[in-house]
Amino acid sequence: RHLAAQREAPTRTCLLGPGSEVWLPAMEWEAMEAMEAEEGESTGSAALLTDLMAGYVEGLMQPLPLACKTAFAVLRQSQGEKGANPDQDYEGSYQFSGERDEHAGYRRFWPDFASLSAAAGFTDWVERLYGPLYQQAITHQEL
């Protein structure tokens, strides 16, 4: 929604969670498109929105190995963030249930983190669909 809102006008988005508040900055749609055209790259709002829509369409055709909390834990771990534990986020522990227990498809297709992370395209999907949001969130966090 954040990227789609940018198409109308530069819009800041606030994500609220228990004990946290994360602001995503406005993105200049036209400026990003102009820069992409000059540089021949696709890294701005339009390209991100296109990637998200492609992921959405792909997800309609087959289940994607994308558990949101686990994906962010993978990204946090790749940045060396202390306490990031994707397998525990996915599988749970004796103190809390994991993300696989929140969705019947996760348990059926990927019963544990090893099978999820070994699924075709897992790392690519995590980086393509959640990576840009993660980078925006860690760069512009206001707590």
Side-chain angles (χ1 to χ4, degrees), residues 64-83:
L64 298 179
L66 280 175
C68 183
K69 294 174 192 171
T70 305
F72 279 102
V74 167
L75 292 168
R76 289 180 15 240
Q77 188 176 55
S78 72
Q79 295 295 315
E81 188 175 316
K82 187 176 179 179

Side-chain angles (χ1 to χ4, degrees), residues 20-25 134-143:
S20 66
E21 181 179 289
V22 178
W23 286 91
L24 300 177
Y134 176 74
Q135 290 303 318
Q136 287 289 314
I138 63 168
T139 305
H140 296 90
Q141 202 172 71
E142 297 176 15
L143 299 176

Side-chain angles (χ1 to χ4, degrees), residues 2-120:
H2 176 71
L3 288 172
Q6 306 308 310
R7 189 67 179 108
E8 278 301 311
T11 306
R12 286 182 59 189
T13 301
C14 180
L15 303 174
L16 298 174
S20 66
E21 181 179 289
V22 178
W23 286 91
L24 300 177
M27 301 170 81
E28 295 286 341
W29 188 277
E30 288 81 14
M32 294 300 281
E33 285 182 331
M35 281 180 17
E36 289 172 9
E38 288 176 13
E39 297 172 4
E41 295 180 14
S42 293
T43 58
S45 303
L48 293 174
L49 186 57
T50 300
D51 255 0
L52 287 175
M53 292 299 101
Y56 176 77
V57 170
E58 185 73 24
L60 292 174
M61 294 186 283
Q62 66 182 0
L64 298 179
L66 280 175
C68 183
K69 294 174 192 171
T70 305
F72 279 102
V74 167
L75 292 168
R76 289 180 15 240
Q77 188 176 55
S78 72
Q79 295 295 315
E81 188 175 316
K82 187 176 179 179
N85 192 341
D87 53 340
Q88 188 176 52
D89 286 347
Y90 187 71
E91 296 175 18
S93 70
Y94 69 92
Q95 294 178 325
F96 63 91
S97 60
E99 192 171 15
R100 74 171 171 199
D101 300 324
E102 298 172 7
H103 190 287
Y106 294 157
R107 183 175 284 285
R108 179 177 177 197
F109 292 103
W110 308 287
D112 54 27
F113 179 71
S115 60
L116 176 71
S117 61

